Amino acid sequence: MTKQNWMGIFVGILFASSVNGQVGRLEWHNSIELPMMQNGKPSIGVAGPIVGLTNGYLLIGGGANFPDLPPWEGGVKKIQKEVFVYSRDGEALHLVARDTIAEAVAYGGNLSLPNGLFVIGGEAEEGKTSACRMIQYDSYTKKITALRYPDLPFQLSNMGATHIGNKLFVVGGECQDGVSDQVLQLDLENLAQGWIRVGSLPYAVSHLQLLTDKSNNLIAVGGRKANKDAVSTLYQEVLKSSDGGRHWEKLTEIPFKAAAAVACILPDDGLWLLSADRGTTFHRVETLIFEAKHASDRQEAKRLTQAKNQLQRNHPGFGREIWRYDLSYEKWKKTGELPSSAPVTTTAVVWDDMIVLPSGEVKAGVRSPKILLANFFEK
């Protein structure tokens, strides 16, 4: 082998070591659970909770669950009002207060801003909402307050949301008449202008993640789109916009469909996908619902509905795999597993070096009361 070949191999090894050295790791430690419910029973958790940081505290609340019976037994979904406030001490979270918000909300966008937790749209007791609020916590009074901000131009839930400085962005989401492809922006320094449309996604999509990288690019991850007469379309695309949502380019696809995912971007220039609904069971449930709706007789409709209920009852969950996408080298790699069942339909909070994965849905109609905690380390 020539000297040049040996040098090439040596440089390649050094390069690979350098790249690997940039990849961080997550170290999961003892999770905690949401407090007891007001009736004295253990919490059953919520999906689509209000989650984020304000004034040095973590808020977890709102959200939706089935407090009486699961949906396959006729249970009714309820939107919750209670909010829990946590302080941080090293690797531990401590409950310091609990309060309620005036209007229950779930499945909205959550943005941790310097002035508070900004909650965008979502679902209220009467249905989807366009309301936007800044949620704040007063450590002296131990009370939650909510300040109204300009409403969205239409009612919207299960959207992607992020911010770049004082500019807030919303993409996609479920609206009253279908699924949106719009990119909306609110400039906190020009509230009189309200929300404006600045662009469109390549397709309509809800249940997606919207993140911001270190170069202030918008990154849209996965999602799904409900279809009127067919099963939902599930996406594995990753999209990037470098001009505030006006134009989008496709990055390397996720190795699988990823709806209602939970993801965050960490200092190692990695997009960490912590959970996702890959849609296998979801599509089978949708198919049975569709077939029952169009069944030729009552008995057949009943049989198909029972099959759907059994499928939901025996839902296998969403797995525990963690995947990382290197934003510099555009490659996906499995990097580990969660310590317990993966929650979807929630928001990951990056609190300095701590990652908080609060509650969420772990099976169809089943929520988790767990708050999963990890610390991020750069190798």
mmCIF file of all heavy atoms in Angstrom, residues 165-204:
data_model
loop_
_atom_site.group_PDB
_atom_site.id
_atom_site.type_symbol
_atom_site.label_atom_id
_atom_site.label_comp_id
_atom_site.label_asym_id
_atom_site.label_seq_id
_atom_site.Cartn_x
_atom_site.Cartn_y
_atom_site.Cartn_z
ATOM 1 N N GLY A 165 -36.238 34.614 17.505
ATOM 2 C CA GLY A 165 -36.289 35.908 18.162
ATOM 3 C C GLY A 165 -37.720 36.271 18.511
ATOM 4 O O GLY A 165 -38.440 35.482 19.130
ATOM 5 N N ASN A 166 -38.149 37.441 18.089
ATOM 6 C CA ASN A 166 -39.507 37.914 18.387
ATOM 7 C C ASN A 166 -40.532 37.510 17.342
ATOM 8 O O ASN A 166 -41.689 37.924 17.427
ATOM 9 C CB ASN A 166 -39.512 39.441 18.525
ATOM 10 C CG ASN A 166 -38.890 39.894 19.827
ATOM 11 O OD1 ASN A 166 -39.157 39.326 20.883
ATOM 12 N ND2 ASN A 166 -38.032 40.911 19.752
ATOM 13 N N LYS A 167 -40.120 36.714 16.372
ATOM 14 C CA LYS A 167 -41.057 36.284 15.339
ATOM 15 C C LYS A 167 -41.502 34.846 15.607
ATOM 16 O O LYS A 167 -40.670 33.943 15.719
ATOM 17 C CB LYS A 167 -40.430 36.407 13.955
ATOM 18 C CG LYS A 167 -40.205 37.866 13.535
ATOM 19 C CD LYS A 167 -39.634 37.980 12.139
ATOM 20 C CE LYS A 167 -39.454 39.447 11.748
ATOM 21 N NZ LYS A 167 -38.876 39.602 10.396
ATOM 22 N N LEU A 168 -42.807 34.672 15.728
ATOM 23 C CA LEU A 168 -43.386 33.355 15.988
ATOM 24 C C LEU A 168 -43.886 32.763 14.675
ATOM 25 O O LEU A 168 -44.432 33.478 13.827
ATOM 26 C CB LEU A 168 -44.549 33.469 16.976
ATOM 27 C CG LEU A 168 -44.341 34.338 18.225
ATOM 28 C CD1 LEU A 168 -45.538 34.198 19.165
ATOM 29 C CD2 LEU A 168 -43.042 33.998 18.926
ATOM 30 N N PHE A 169 -43.717 31.453 14.524
ATOM 31 C CA PHE A 169 -44.114 30.781 13.294
ATOM 32 C C PHE A 169 -45.032 29.604 13.609
ATOM 33 O O PHE A 169 -44.806 28.859 14.564
ATOM 34 C CB PHE A 169 -42.887 30.264 12.536
ATOM 35 C CG PHE A 169 -41.988 31.349 12.019
ATOM 36 C CD1 PHE A 169 -40.963 31.852 12.802
ATOM 37 C CD2 PHE A 169 -42.188 31.884 10.757
ATOM 38 C CE1 PHE A 169 -40.124 32.849 12.338
ATOM 39 C CE2 PHE A 169 -41.360 32.890 10.273
ATOM 40 C CZ PHE A 169 -40.330 33.386 11.064
ATOM 41 N N VAL A 170 -46.056 29.452 12.782
ATOM 42 C CA VAL A 170 -46.972 28.315 12.845
ATOM 43 C C VAL A 170 -47.071 27.727 11.445
ATOM 44 O O VAL A 170 -47.223 28.469 10.460
ATOM 45 C CB VAL A 170 -48.371 28.754 13.328
ATOM 46 C CG1 VAL A 170 -49.414 27.692 13.025
ATOM 47 C CG2 VAL A 170 -48.349 29.057 14.815
ATOM 48 N N VAL A 171 -46.968 26.397 11.349
ATOM 49 C CA VAL A 171 -47.118 25.745 10.049
ATOM 50 C C VAL A 171 -48.135 24.614 10.173
ATOM 51 O O VAL A 171 -48.196 23.906 11.171
ATOM 52 C CB VAL A 171 -45.788 25.186 9.514
ATOM 53 C CG1 VAL A 171 -44.766 26.295 9.339
ATOM 54 C CG2 VAL A 171 -45.227 24.110 10.425
ATOM 55 N N GLY A 172 -48.938 24.452 9.108
ATOM 56 C CA GLY A 172 -49.888 23.342 9.055
ATOM 57 C C GLY A 172 -50.907 23.386 10.171
ATOM 58 O O GLY A 172 -51.221 24.434 10.725
ATOM 59 N N GLY A 173 -51.435 22.196 10.501
ATOM 60 C CA GLY A 173 -52.424 22.077 11.566
ATOM 61 C C GLY A 173 -53.808 21.715 11.034
ATOM 62 O O GLY A 173 -54.090 21.791 9.835
ATOM 63 N N GLU A 174 -54.659 21.298 11.948
ATOM 64 C CA GLU A 174 -56.041 20.957 11.616
ATOM 65 C C GLU A 174 -56.926 22.181 11.809
ATOM 66 O O GLU A 174 -56.937 22.783 12.884
ATOM 67 C CB GLU A 174 -56.537 19.819 12.516
ATOM 68 C CG GLU A 174 -55.861 18.489 12.243
ATOM 69 C CD GLU A 174 -56.378 17.376 13.141
ATOM 70 O OE1 GLU A 174 -56.550 17.628 14.350
ATOM 71 O OE2 GLU A 174 -56.608 16.263 12.632
ATOM 72 N N CYS A 175 -57.675 22.546 10.767
ATOM 73 C CA CYS A 175 -58.620 23.645 10.856
ATOM 74 C C CYS A 175 -60.038 23.095 10.730
ATOM 75 O O CYS A 175 -60.244 21.885 10.632
ATOM 76 C CB CYS A 175 -58.328 24.718 9.813
ATOM 77 S SG CYS A 175 -57.896 24.104 8.174
ATOM 78 N N GLN A 176 -61.018 23.965 10.728
ATOM 79 C CA GLN A 176 -62.409 23.528 10.744
ATOM 80 C C GLN A 176 -62.792 22.736 9.501
ATOM 81 O O GLN A 176 -63.618 21.824 9.557
ATOM 82 C CB GLN A 176 -63.342 24.736 10.887
ATOM 83 C CG GLN A 176 -63.259 25.429 12.246
ATOM 84 C CD GLN A 176 -63.758 24.553 13.372
ATOM 85 O OE1 GLN A 176 -63.033 23.728 13.914
ATOM 86 N NE2 GLN A 176 -65.010 24.716 13.731
ATOM 87 N N ASP A 177 -62.195 23.079 8.376
ATOM 88 C CA ASP A 177 -62.605 22.462 7.121
ATOM 89 C C ASP A 177 -61.517 21.578 6.508
ATOM 90 O O ASP A 177 -61.520 21.324 5.311
ATOM 91 C CB ASP A 177 -63.030 23.542 6.113
ATOM 92 C CG ASP A 177 -61.923 24.567 5.867
ATOM 93 O OD1 ASP A 177 -60.904 24.518 6.581
ATOM 94 O OD2 ASP A 177 -62.094 25.406 4.970
ATOM 95 N N GLY A 178 -60.580 21.106 7.316
ATOM 96 C CA GLY A 178 -59.561 20.219 6.765
ATOM 97 C C GLY A 178 -58.208 20.437 7.415
ATOM 98 O O GLY A 178 -58.108 20.707 8.612
ATOM 99 N N VAL A 179 -57.174 20.336 6.613
ATOM 100 C CA VAL A 179 -55.791 20.451 7.091
ATOM 101 C C VAL A 179 -55.108 21.596 6.347
ATOM 102 O O VAL A 179 -55.269 21.751 5.135
ATOM 103 C CB VAL A 179 -55.031 19.128 6.875
ATOM 104 C CG1 VAL A 179 -53.595 19.245 7.365
ATOM 105 C CG2 VAL A 179 -55.733 17.980 7.606
ATOM 106 N N SER A 180 -54.344 22.378 7.069
ATOM 107 C CA SER A 180 -53.723 23.581 6.514
ATOM 108 C C SER A 180 -52.342 23.297 5.939
ATOM 109 O O SER A 180 -51.619 22.423 6.415
ATOM 110 C CB SER A 180 -53.607 24.640 7.619
ATOM 111 O OG SER A 180 -52.855 25.760 7.175
ATOM 112 N N ASP A 181 -51.969 24.083 4.925
ATOM 113 C CA ASP A 181 -50.592 24.076 4.413
ATOM 114 C C ASP A 181 -49.934 25.433 4.628
ATOM 115 O O ASP A 181 -48.829 25.687 4.142
ATOM 116 C CB ASP A 181 -50.561 23.710 2.927
ATOM 117 C CG ASP A 181 -51.216 24.775 2.042
ATOM 118 O OD1 ASP A 181 -51.847 25.720 2.575
ATOM 119 O OD2 ASP A 181 -51.104 24.666 0.807
ATOM 120 N N GLN A 182 -50.584 26.310 5.373
ATOM 121 C CA GLN A 182 -50.122 27.683 5.497
ATOM 122 C C GLN A 182 -48.971 27.821 6.497
ATOM 123 O O GLN A 182 -48.867 27.077 7.465
ATOM 124 C CB GLN A 182 -51.268 28.598 5.929
ATOM 125 C CG GLN A 182 -52.368 28.736 4.899
ATOM 126 C CD GLN A 182 -53.344 29.846 5.244
ATOM 127 O OE1 GLN A 182 -53.000 30.811 5.930
ATOM 128 N NE2 GLN A 182 -54.582 29.715 4.767
ATOM 129 N N VAL A 183 -48.109 28.805 6.210
ATOM 130 C CA VAL A 183 -47.067 29.237 7.135
ATOM 131 C C VAL A 183 -47.464 30.627 7.634
ATOM 132 O O VAL A 183 -47.579 31.564 6.838
ATOM 133 C CB VAL A 183 -45.686 29.298 6.453
ATOM 134 C CG1 VAL A 183 -44.622 29.744 7.456
ATOM 135 C CG2 VAL A 183 -45.333 27.956 5.837
ATOM 136 N N LEU A 184 -47.703 30.736 8.939
ATOM 137 C CA LEU A 184 -48.151 31.990 9.538
ATOM 138 C C LEU A 184 -47.059 32.560 10.424
ATOM 139 O O LEU A 184 -46.279 31.816 11.025
ATOM 140 C CB LEU A 184 -49.418 31.764 10.368
ATOM 141 C CG LEU A 184 -50.610 31.126 9.651
ATOM 142 C CD1 LEU A 184 -51.724 30.843 10.644
ATOM 143 C CD2 LEU A 184 -51.107 32.029 8.529
ATOM 144 N N GLN A 185 -47.037 33.886 10.524
ATOM 145 C CA GLN A 185 -46.028 34.548 11.352
ATOM 146 C C GLN A 185 -46.662 35.663 12.173
ATOM 147 O O GLN A 185 -47.528 36.400 11.693
ATOM 148 C CB GLN A 185 -44.927 35.138 10.473
ATOM 149 C CG GLN A 185 -43.865 35.931 11.240
ATOM 150 C CD GLN A 185 -43.001 36.747 10.315
ATOM 151 O OE1 GLN A 185 -42.186 36.198 9.591
ATOM 152 N NE2 GLN A 185 -43.178 38.070 10.332
ATOM 153 N N LEU A 186 -46.228 35.769 13.433
ATOM 154 C CA LEU A 186 -46.616 36.887 14.300
ATOM 155 C C LEU A 186 -45.344 37.555 14.793
ATOM 156 O O LEU A 186 -44.486 36.903 15.399
ATOM 157 C CB LEU A 186 -47.443 36.398 15.491
ATOM 158 C CG LEU A 186 -47.823 37.475 16.519
ATOM 159 C CD1 LEU A 186 -48.799 38.484 15.903
ATOM 160 C CD2 LEU A 186 -48.421 36.859 17.785
ATOM 161 N N ASP A 187 -45.235 38.865 14.545
ATOM 162 C CA ASP A 187 -44.091 39.635 15.017
ATOM 163 C C ASP A 187 -44.486 40.284 16.340
ATOM 164 O O ASP A 187 -45.368 41.154 16.378
ATOM 165 C CB ASP A 187 -43.719 40.695 13.975
ATOM 166 C CG ASP A 187 -42.419 41.419 14.313
ATOM 167 O OD1 ASP A 187 -41.980 41.351 15.484
ATOM 168 O OD2 ASP A 187 -41.846 42.071 13.415
ATOM 169 N N LEU A 188 -43.843 39.874 17.416
ATOM 170 C CA LEU A 188 -44.191 40.409 18.732
ATOM 171 C C LEU A 188 -43.868 41.889 18.860
ATOM 172 O O LEU A 188 -44.344 42.551 19.789
ATOM 173 C CB LEU A 188 -43.465 39.618 19.828
ATOM 174 C CG LEU A 188 -43.872 38.154 19.987
ATOM 175 C CD1 LEU A 188 -43.062 37.495 21.092
ATOM 176 C CD2 LEU A 188 -45.361 38.023 20.273
ATOM 177 N N GLU A 189 -43.061 42.416 17.935
ATOM 178 C CA GLU A 189 -42.768 43.846 17.941
ATOM 179 C C GLU A 189 -43.725 44.630 17.050
ATOM 180 O O GLU A 189 -43.599 45.845 16.929
ATOM 181 C CB GLU A 189 -41.321 44.071 17.500
ATOM 182 C CG GLU A 189 -40.303 43.480 18.478
ATOM 183 C CD GLU A 189 -38.866 43.777 18.080
ATOM 184 O OE1 GLU A 189 -38.657 44.229 16.929
ATOM 185 O OE2 GLU A 189 -37.967 43.567 18.915
ATOM 186 N N ASN A 190 -44.660 43.930 16.435
ATOM 187 C CA ASN A 190 -45.675 44.579 15.594
ATOM 188 C C ASN A 190 -46.999 43.841 15.751
ATOM 189 O O ASN A 190 -47.529 43.274 14.795
ATOM 190 C CB ASN A 190 -45.219 44.588 14.132
ATOM 191 C CG ASN A 190 -46.141 45.409 13.239
ATOM 192 O OD1 ASN A 190 -47.045 46.107 13.718
ATOM 193 N ND2 ASN A 190 -45.936 45.326 11.937
ATOM 194 N N LEU A 191 -47.524 43.849 16.972
ATOM 195 C CA LEU A 191 -48.742 43.097 17.257
ATOM 196 C C LEU A 191 -49.948 43.636 16.489
ATOM 197 O O LEU A 191 -50.892 42.890 16.203
ATOM 198 C CB LEU A 191 -49.033 43.113 18.765
ATOM 199 C CG LEU A 191 -48.035 42.345 19.646
ATOM 200 C CD1 LEU A 191 -48.412 42.497 21.112
ATOM 201 C CD2 LEU A 191 -48.003 40.873 19.255
ATOM 202 N N ALA A 192 -49.919 44.907 16.160
ATOM 203 C CA ALA A 192 -51.054 45.496 15.433
ATOM 204 C C ALA A 192 -51.243 44.831 14.076
ATOM 205 O O ALA A 192 -52.363 44.756 13.558
ATOM 206 C CB ALA A 192 -50.834 46.994 15.257
ATOM 207 N N GLN A 193 -50.176 44.326 13.514
ATOM 208 C CA GLN A 193 -50.265 43.652 12.215
ATOM 209 C C GLN A 193 -50.926 42.290 12.339
ATOM 210 O O GLN A 193 -51.528 41.789 11.388
ATOM 211 C CB GLN A 193 -48.854 43.501 11.629
ATOM 212 C CG GLN A 193 -48.798 42.822 10.289
ATOM 213 C CD GLN A 193 -47.375 42.734 9.757
ATOM 214 O OE1 GLN A 193 -47.044 43.336 8.751
ATOM 215 N NE2 GLN A 193 -46.516 41.990 10.439
ATOM 216 N N GLY A 194 -50.826 41.683 13.527
ATOM 217 C CA GLY A 194 -51.415 40.368 13.753
ATOM 218 C C GLY A 194 -50.672 39.274 13.008
ATOM 219 O O GLY A 194 -49.566 39.469 12.497
ATOM 220 N N TRP A 195 -51.298 38.116 12.943
ATOM 221 C CA TRP A 195 -50.720 36.988 12.209
ATOM 222 C C TRP A 195 -50.854 37.223 10.703
ATOM 223 O O TRP A 195 -51.919 37.609 10.226
ATOM 224 C CB TRP A 195 -51.439 35.699 12.571
ATOM 225 C CG TRP A 195 -51.179 35.213 13.965
ATOM 226 C CD1 TRP A 195 -51.902 35.510 15.094
ATOM 227 C CD2 TRP A 195 -50.127 34.337 14.383
ATOM 228 N NE1 TRP A 195 -51.365 34.880 16.187
ATOM 229 C CE2 TRP A 195 -50.277 34.146 15.791
ATOM 230 C CE3 TRP A 195 -49.087 33.686 13.720
ATOM 231 C CZ2 TRP A 195 -49.419 33.331 16.525
ATOM 232 C CZ3 TRP A 195 -48.231 32.875 14.455
ATOM 233 C CH2 TRP A 195 -48.403 32.709 15.842
ATOM 234 N N ILE A 196 -49.791 36.978 9.986
ATOM 235 C CA ILE A 196 -49.830 37.117 8.532
ATOM 236 C C ILE A 196 -49.339 35.814 7.895
ATOM 237 O O ILE A 196 -48.539 35.082 8.472
ATOM 238 C CB ILE A 196 -48.971 38.300 8.032
ATOM 239 C CG1 ILE A 196 -47.495 38.120 8.453
ATOM 240 C CG2 ILE A 196 -49.522 39.623 8.533
ATOM 241 C CD1 ILE A 196 -46.548 39.133 7.836
ATOM 242 N N ARG A 197 -49.830 35.551 6.694
ATOM 243 C CA ARG A 197 -49.364 34.390 5.955
ATOM 244 C C ARG A 197 -48.109 34.763 5.188
ATOM 245 O O ARG A 197 -48.112 35.730 4.418
ATOM 246 C CB ARG A 197 -50.446 33.899 4.991
ATOM 247 C CG ARG A 197 -50.039 32.664 4.196
ATOM 248 C CD ARG A 197 -51.187 32.134 3.363
ATOM 249 N NE ARG A 197 -50.808 30.913 2.648
ATOM 250 C CZ ARG A 197 -51.652 30.177 1.938
ATOM 251 N NH1 ARG A 197 -52.932 30.536 1.852
ATOM 252 N NH2 ARG A 197 -51.240 29.082 1.322
ATOM 253 N N VAL A 198 -47.025 33.992 5.400
ATOM 254 C CA VAL A 198 -45.758 34.311 4.741
ATOM 255 C C VAL A 198 -45.346 33.257 3.721
ATOM 256 O O VAL A 198 -44.380 33.444 2.981
ATOM 257 C CB VAL A 198 -44.623 34.489 5.774
ATOM 258 C CG1 VAL A 198 -44.889 35.701 6.648
ATOM 259 C CG2 VAL A 198 -44.445 33.235 6.625
ATOM 260 N N GLY A 199 -46.056 32.136 3.673
ATOM 261 C CA GLY A 199 -45.696 31.099 2.724
ATOM 262 C C GLY A 199 -46.589 29.887 2.856
ATOM 263 O O GLY A 199 -47.605 29.919 3.562
ATOM 264 N N SER A 200 -46.215 28.826 2.155
ATOM 265 C CA SER A 200 -46.965 27.570 2.185
ATOM 266 C C SER A 200 -45.986 26.410 2.247
ATOM 267 O O SER A 200 -44.887 26.469 1.681
ATOM 268 C CB SER A 200 -47.848 27.418 0.939
ATOM 269 O OG SER A 200 -48.802 28.448 0.873
ATOM 270 N N LEU A 201 -46.408 25.339 2.906
ATOM 271 C CA LEU A 201 -45.672 24.088 2.856
ATOM 272 C C LEU A 201 -45.929 23.408 1.515
ATOM 273 O O LEU A 201 -46.896 23.742 0.828
ATOM 274 C CB LEU A 201 -46.110 23.178 3.998
ATOM 275 C CG LEU A 201 -45.796 23.655 5.419
ATOM 276 C CD1 LEU A 201 -46.539 22.791 6.439
ATOM 277 C CD2 LEU A 201 -44.303 23.605 5.681
ATOM 278 N N PRO A 202 -45.118 22.438 1.132
ATOM 279 C CA PRO A 202 -45.372 21.720 -0.120
ATOM 280 C C PRO A 202 -46.659 20.905 -0.092
ATOM 281 O O PRO A 202 -47.150 20.494 -1.152
ATOM 282 C CB PRO A 202 -44.152 20.803 -0.258
ATOM 283 C CG PRO A 202 -43.097 21.408 0.599
ATOM 284 C CD PRO A 202 -43.825 22.049 1.733
ATOM 285 N N TYR A 203 -47.198 20.647 1.093
ATOM 286 C CA TYR A 203 -48.420 19.853 1.228
ATOM 287 C C TYR A 203 -49.099 20.222 2.540
ATOM 288 O O TYR A 203 -48.459 20.752 3.465
ATOM 289 C CB TYR A 203 -48.098 18.350 1.196
ATOM 290 C CG TYR A 203 -46.900 17.971 2.027
ATOM 291 C CD1 TYR A 203 -46.978 17.840 3.416
ATOM 292 C CD2 TYR A 203 -45.650 17.759 1.421
ATOM 293 C CE1 TYR A 203 -45.861 17.515 4.172
ATOM 294 C CE2 TYR A 203 -44.539 17.437 2.171
ATOM 295 C CZ TYR A 203 -44.648 17.310 3.549
ATOM 296 O OH TYR A 203 -43.548 16.998 4.303
ATOM 297 N N ALA A 204 -50.388 19.947 2.620
ATOM 298 C CA ALA A 204 -51.119 20.173 3.867
ATOM 299 C C ALA A 204 -50.747 19.086 4.866
ATOM 300 O O ALA A 204 -50.654 17.909 4.512
ATOM 301 C CB ALA A 204 -52.620 20.154 3.602
#
